[in-house]
Amino acid sequence: MHAVRISDLLQPDLTDVNRRPARAPLVPHPRAATARAGRASPWRQPLAGVWKCLRVARPDDAPDGWMAVDADDAEWSDITVPGCWTRQGVGDLPHYTNVQMPWDLEAPQTPEPNPTGLYRTEFVAPGDADDRQIVVHLGGAESVAVVWCNGEFVGMGKDSRLPSEFDLSPHVLAGDNVLAVMVIRYSDATWIEDQDHWWHAGLHRSVHLEARASTRIDDLSFVADFDAESGAGRVDLTARVVGASAGTRVRATVESADREVVAAIEETAVPRFDSATPLDRTISVYTFEGPVVAASVVVADVAPWSAESPTRYRVLTELLDDDGAVLEAHATWIGFRRVEIRGRRLLVNGRPIVVHGVNRHDHHPDTGKTQTLRDLKADLVTMKRHNINAVRTAHYPNDHRLLDLCDELGLYVVDEANVESHGRLRSLSQDERYHHAIVDRVRRMVLRDRSHPCVIGWSLGNESGHGPCHDAAAAWVR
């Protein structure tokens, strides 16, 4: 059943195996009306609840065949997902460090023993799953997650504070299925997750399944610019489509919060690689940028977004098939605003702002790194009541729902990558074994969060010196 040796995965230049590309947190719906209403998607299945869990002292102590369909987990502990196992009585506790690493080793070595959680749950593929890709979404796993489905190895992902998604389709059966996840508390990645906070472990953010269509919008982003002189706004839409055939199109409608339509992006064909003739092939090789729709619309008069006046608009984006039927729809909140630095002053919508901000961790006194939507909102409401207008996501991307709330309530955000090598402040940013991991964490953060009006700046990490990895990451962001 072990298709891969765990020890082979714990090396810093290997950040994932078979992980799906990073993207915005999309929720597909059959129609624009259900997307607008925010109803549950028939293609989304939460896996929150009670799982079976066995904590072992190290990865190699996992029982043979523990991930198999017929493995006996009757004597295992019950554990709540999402949740930190360090707050659920499995015999491994949280600890707090600042600069000092919690072991006397050198990067990328990991301690011995190394607490490891073996998770198991059963699922039936989401409804209407025929001819769809069944993807599992792990919102956050500290510090590395290794995934099996029905006993078959699926993939691995590092980065405790961003999602890892894996395609289960080749392994999913009709009826009951078994999802097994090994979460290893410490890894090579821990050396660049050395933040000043309470350290926990486990599947601490949401887990769900999604049945994604063979033809779909695989990623979607927006830039909503605002011209203070004219009062006009401009929406630039970028949609990456997979499985498109001739005639597949994307259209979008921009509407106010009370559903008044203010602009529309007309149907735009998904580009295709033209190979009809040798000349077409030659031209396409140089010009084809992939099946990506890039479209824009100008809105003559909009209310801009700011922390003081967080006016939002909703964009309904639809993917149409060759006959014009809607394949899927997405709803995205945007805010028109322009962020710039002019004359050493930070401007939002042409006006200088004063940032009265705080650092923020995902933290709860009872549940550790796991917070409900109510918890997240309570944090931000308390900040607003104390005249705080900005948040730095110290020192990693926070739960993505926090940014939705900052958009809604009105707080500026400096979004910080999950990069901190405080215990080896300067050396790891100069260590080429960690170069890809650091750049990848910045890139994946931006891909997740780039459409939020609340984000006014990106941070490449915290207390990790300065090296070529930071220059490369900044170049990618720009």
Side-chain angles (χ1 to χ4, degrees):
M1 295 295 179
H2 284 280
V4 64
R5 291 194 310 171
I6 299 302
S7 58
D8 291 340
L9 303 178
L10 302 182
Q11 47 187 319
D13 46 2
L14 182 65
T15 58
D16 66 89
V17 176
N18 296 333
R19 181 161 62 189
R20 298 283 306 152
R23 64 177 207 157
L26 304 178
V27 182
H29 288 269
R31 303 184 308 280
T34 58
R36 177 197 288 117
R39 297 174 187 166
S41 169
W43 302 316
R44 173 75 67 87
Q45 179 176 313
L47 292 181
V50 177
W51 294 35
K52 286 295 186 179
C53 181
L54 176 67
R55 190 187 69 81
V56 294
R58 55 188 60 80
D60 289 344
D61 288 349
D64 289 341
W66 71 270
M67 72 292 288
V69 172
D70 57 357
D72 184 4
D73 58 14
E75 300 301 318
W76 291 22
S77 300
D78 290 340
I79 196 166
T80 299
V81 174
C84 301
W85 80 54
T86 43
R87 301 301 292 159
Q88 298 194 57
V90 301
D92 185 31
L93 299 175
H95 73 260
Y96 180 91
T97 66
N98 185 5
V99 178
Q100 183 176 349
M101 294 294 286
W103 53 69
D104 187 18
L105 299 168
E106 287 300 329
Q109 295 173 318
T110 53
E112 180 69 27
N114 187 355
T116 299
L118 310 178
Y119 288 80
R120 287 172 57 91
T121 192
E122 294 185 359
F123 69 90
V124 176
D128 191 22
D130 293 345
D131 299 323
R132 286 180 171 266
Q133 183 183 56
I134 306 302
V135 174
V136 62
H137 171 102
L138 307 179
E142 188 172 350
S143 71
V144 55
V146 191
V147 180
W148 289 262
C149 182
N150 293 326
E152 299 298 326
F153 174 72
V154 175
M156 177 277 295
K158 299 173 187 173
D159 191 344
S160 301
R161 314 297 170 201
L162 284 174
S164 289
E165 295 186 331
F166 302 96
D167 182 10
L168 305 182
S169 305
H171 315 294
V172 171
L173 307 172
D176 293 337
N177 295 268
V178 172
L179 177 67
V181 184
M182 173 186 283
V183 179
I184 307 170
R185 181 165 188 179
Y186 304 121
S187 69
D188 56 275
T190 307
W191 289 91
I192 54 173
E193 295 184 355
D194 181 25
Q195 287 98 349
D196 178 7
H197 68 150
W198 282 98
W199 292 26
H200 287 276
L203 295 171
H204 62 93
R205 290 187 187 162
S206 63
V207 181
H208 64 254
L209 297 173
E210 195 167 279
R212 296 179 183 170
S214 55
T215 300
R216 65 181 183 271
I217 294 177
D218 210 37
D219 195 16
L220 182 62
S221 65
F222 297 92
V223 175
D225 189 30
F226 176 70
D227 184 354
E229 292 187 6
S230 67
R234 174 190 169 104
V235 179
D236 295 329
L237 171 154
T238 303
R240 178 171 294 278
V241 180
V242 300
S245 60
T248 309
R249 302 179 299 283
V250 171
R251 70 183 177 198
T253 302
V254 184
E255 60 181 31
S256 64
D258 57 6
R259 302 186 180 187
E260 178 187 354
V261 175
V262 299
I265 294 177
E266 300 299 326
E267 295 181 8
T268 305
V270 179
R272 302 177 70 239
F273 186 88
D274 194 340
S275 58
T277 69
L279 178 60
D280 291 333
R281 287 195 298 271
T282 301
I283 294 173
S284 289
V285 164
Y286 285 92
T287 61
F288 182 63
E289 297 181 358
V292 178
V293 170
S296 302
V297 66
V298 174
V299 189
D301 184 23
V302 297
W305 186 96
S306 68
E308 292 75 23
S309 181
T311 303
R312 298 184 302 164
Y313 292 77
R314 185 190 293 108
V315 182
L316 299 173
T317 307
E318 297 170 296
L319 179 66
L320 312 177
D321 69 9
D322 304 356
D323 299 320
V326 176
L327 295 172
E328 68 177 33
H330 298 269
T332 308
W333 286 105
I334 64 170
F336 291 95
R337 59 97 174 102
R338 180 180 295 177
V339 181
E340 56 190 329
I341 296 175
R342 191 189 311 159
R344 300 183 65 83
R345 304 180 84 180
L346 175 62
L347 308 182
V348 173
N349 301 329
R351 296 182 178 181
I353 64 170
V354 175
V355 175
H356 182 208
V358 294
N359 296 324
R360 183 196 178 276
H361 277 288
D362 282 335
H363 181 79
H364 189 280
D366 297 322
T367 57
K369 307 304 288 185
T370 300
Q371 292 188 288
T372 66
L373 185 63
R374 178 177 294 181
D375 296 331
L376 295 168
K377 189 168 186 177
D379 279 357
L380 299 182
V381 169
T382 300
M383 293 177 193
K384 292 286 287 186
R385 287 172 174 166
H386 288 80
N387 296 316
I388 291 167
N389 71 349
V391 173
R392 174 187 175 213
T393 66
H395 300 292
Y396 46 80
N398 287 184
D399 187 309
H400 79 273
R401 297 171 300 172
L402 185 91
L403 299 186
D404 295 332
L405 291 169
C406 288
D407 290 343
E408 177 187 356
L409 299 176
L411 287 106
Y412 300 119
V413 173
V414 175
D415 209 0
E416 189 153 273
N418 185 22
V419 177
E420 180 169 341
S421 56
H422 205 168
R424 299 293 183 273
L425 183 63
R426 298 187 182 279
S427 62
L428 294 190
S429 61
Q430 304 287 340
D431 188 334
E432 65 180 32
R433 294 174 299 175
Y434 280 93
H435 181 98
H436 169 65
I438 292 172
V439 174
D440 193 48
R441 287 166 182 244
V442 175
R443 183 185 63 84
R444 295 178 69 240
M445 169 186 67
V446 174
L447 289 172
R448 190 193 75 167
D449 298 339
R450 64 196 188 277
S451 294
H452 286 278
C454 64
V455 177
I456 64 170
W458 306 103
S459 167
L460 307 180
N462 180 66
E463 295 175 318
S464 53
H466 176 227
C469 53
H470 296 112
D471 295 336
W476 187 93
V477 174
R478 293 188 181 105

